[in-house]
Amino acid sequence: QFSHKVSPSMKDKIKYLTITEPGKVWMPDTFFRNERRGRMHNVLVPNLYVRIFADGMVLFSIRVSLTLSCPMNLKLYPLDRQTCPMQIASYGWATDDLVYMWKSQDPVQIGKGISLPRFVIEKYSSDYCNVKTSTGEYSCLLMELTLKREFSYYMLTIYVPTCMLVIVSWFSFWIDPKAVPARVALGVTTLLTMSTKTASISNSLPPVAYTKAVDLWTGVCIFFVFFALLEYTAVNAAARSDAKRLIAAKNKKSPAKDKTDHEDDSVYCEINLLASRKNNICMQWLARFPSRAKKIDVISRVLFPIVFASFNLMYWCYYLTKEDE
């Protein structure tokens, strides 16, 4: 304290003394427990000062840049929230000699205009993280930042392009089965593009031992593109089978004069059997397409979008619910 050494006329004018050499004042051995890299700012002069107030309180201020470790759980990536800590502790002084305490009001202050490229700071809190070791108990301050990932970026760069690739792969269902180069080229191109996109997403993330939300999405999209290519295999096989059946039916034809009454009855019974199925709307609709290859394409035009839409409904309902928890 120096208030008793200041003349009464100067007490109102001198509130504190500023020292730019902190070595002249005792300082605690403070360090950041989860620091990975750090540096002090010395341009143009060391960015620090010590203020000594008349009542004996000492304020130490320093400007440092730190890279802190932040363990992340990426199961909900990119719909995740992360809590990143900053731990301030004493390296050698135990709690018997040194105790860190937060200010009672606004202990943590974040400047206006501070933002992160792909995160939004939702909230921050202050707490204590005292540590007991074999050498004693050490005081520790804990500050936690809750960061929410900006989803709009990932929607435009991951989800929309992959969804478009899946839809493009369905265009082959409207191409003539006889146009083999067109259908195969479309299927292979979309599959390779989808695989490249998935690889680029995986390379931008650290390898983890669990499945992330984006992994499930890209994996299902690859399966849809692959099955769209596989569908043409079934169409091609059905088309060749239809052609063989047509040739066999032409070879078995005999003149109408040689037909027996029994054969006429069998043909008549077959017509009645087909007519009895007209009450089934789906069968009636499929009966409009004579070949099995065409039926497979028509069914795929309806089945693939319905299944993909159902997957989207379940995916977004589940992960958006998990995000709010």
Side-chain angles (χ1 to χ4, degrees):
Q1 297 181 0
F2 60 86
S3 58
H4 62 281
K5 298 182 179 180
V6 181
S7 61
S9 60
M10 297 296 292
K11 282 187 177 180
D12 296 335
K13 297 181 179 179
I14 301 177
K15 295 182 179 180
Y16 55 80
L17 297 177
T18 300
I19 301 176
T20 57
E21 297 180 9
K24 296 181 178 181
V25 181
W26 179 85
M27 292 292 173
D29 54 347
T30 304
F31 80 109
F32 296 88
R33 292 183 58 197
N34 58 330
E35 174 201 357
R36 297 187 62 186
R37 289 186 299 273
R39 67 183 182 90
M40 299 175 61
H41 296 263
N42 297 310
V43 180
L44 297 168
V45 295
N47 297 172
L48 57 88
Y49 63 82
V50 178
R51 288 179 180 175
I52 303 176
F53 292 83
D55 59 358
M57 187 182 73
V58 178
L59 172 64
F60 176 60
S61 177
I62 185 171
R63 181 171 174 238
V64 295
S65 295
L66 299 171
T67 300
L68 304 175
S69 64
C70 178
M72 293 188 176
N73 187 340
L74 299 175
K75 288 184 178 180
L76 299 180
Y77 177 89
L79 299 164
D80 56 332
R81 284 182 175 85
Q82 304 296 337
T83 300
C84 294
M86 182 177 70
Q87 300 173 345
I88 306 172
S90 172
Y91 191 80
W93 297 97
T95 52
D96 296 335
D97 303 311
L98 177 64
V99 176
Y100 290 95
M101 297 183 65
W102 288 110
K103 290 175 59 179
S104 58
Q105 295 181 352
D106 296 331
V108 179
Q109 300 178 8
I110 296 180
K112 295 182 179 180
I114 294 179
S115 61
L116 298 175
R118 297 183 184 179
F119 289 93
V120 174
I121 301 176
E122 278 197 334
K123 61 180 180 179
Y124 50 89
S125 61
S126 58
D127 203 348
Y128 296 92
C129 55
N130 293 1
V131 179
K132 289 184 179 181
T133 66
S134 59
T135 58
E137 183 179 358
Y138 298 89
S139 181
C140 176
L141 298 178
L142 173 66
M143 191 273 289
E144 290 185 327
L145 283 173
T146 301
L147 307 175
K148 180 182 178 183
R149 202 179 297 272
E150 281 280 9
F151 180 66
S152 58
Y153 168 80
Y154 300 94
M155 173 63 78
L156 295 176
T157 57
I158 296 177
Y159 288 92
V160 171
T162 52
C163 185
M164 292 174 63
L165 285 173
V166 172
I167 296 174
V168 168
S169 68
W170 299 342
F171 291 173
S172 62
F173 303 153
W174 276 266
I175 299 177
D176 190 351
K178 297 180 181 179
V180 178
R183 294 192 67 156
V184 172
L186 180 61
V188 172
T189 302
T190 51
L191 183 60
L192 292 177
T193 306
M194 192 69 218
S195 301
T196 304
K197 185 68 176 177
T198 303
S200 65
I201 295 171
S202 300
N203 292 335
S204 64
L205 294 173
V208 293
Y210 48 82
T211 302
K212 303 179 289 293
V214 71
D215 294 337
L216 177 61
W217 173 267
T218 54
V220 172
C221 289
I222 287 178
F223 272 112
F224 270 95
V225 174
F226 173 74
F227 281 118
L229 180 61
L230 198 63
E231 184 267 354
Y232 178 64
T233 305
V235 168
N236 189 271
R240 287 186 284 108
S241 177
D242 289 340
K244 291 180 180 179
R245 291 173 60 188
L246 184 60
I247 294 174
K250 289 181 178 180
N251 293 335
K252 289 182 180 180
K253 279 187 177 181
S254 59
K257 294 181 180 180
D258 297 337
K259 289 183 180 180
T260 61
D261 294 336
H262 180 71
E263 290 176 343
D264 292 339
D265 292 339
S266 63
V267 174
Y268 177 77
C269 292
E270 184 179 358
I271 294 173
N272 285 340
L273 185 61
L274 292 174
S276 64
R277 296 179 181 176
K278 287 188 176 181
N279 55 353
N280 190 326
I281 299 177
C282 294
M283 296 301 296
Q284 183 180 359
W285 176 60
L286 290 175
R288 298 167 52 189
F289 308 100
S291 64
R292 288 189 301 170
K294 189 65 175 179
K295 290 179 181 178
I296 295 174
D297 270 342
V298 171
I299 293 174
S300 299
R301 295 174 189 175
V302 179
L303 184 61
F304 273 70
I306 291 177
V307 176
F308 189 66
S310 302
F311 164 72
N312 270 269
L313 181 62
M314 293 186 291
Y315 179 90
W316 294 113
C317 288
Y318 177 78
Y319 282 106
L320 290 178
T321 304
K322 284 288 185 180
E323 181 190 16
D324 295 334
E325 293 180 357

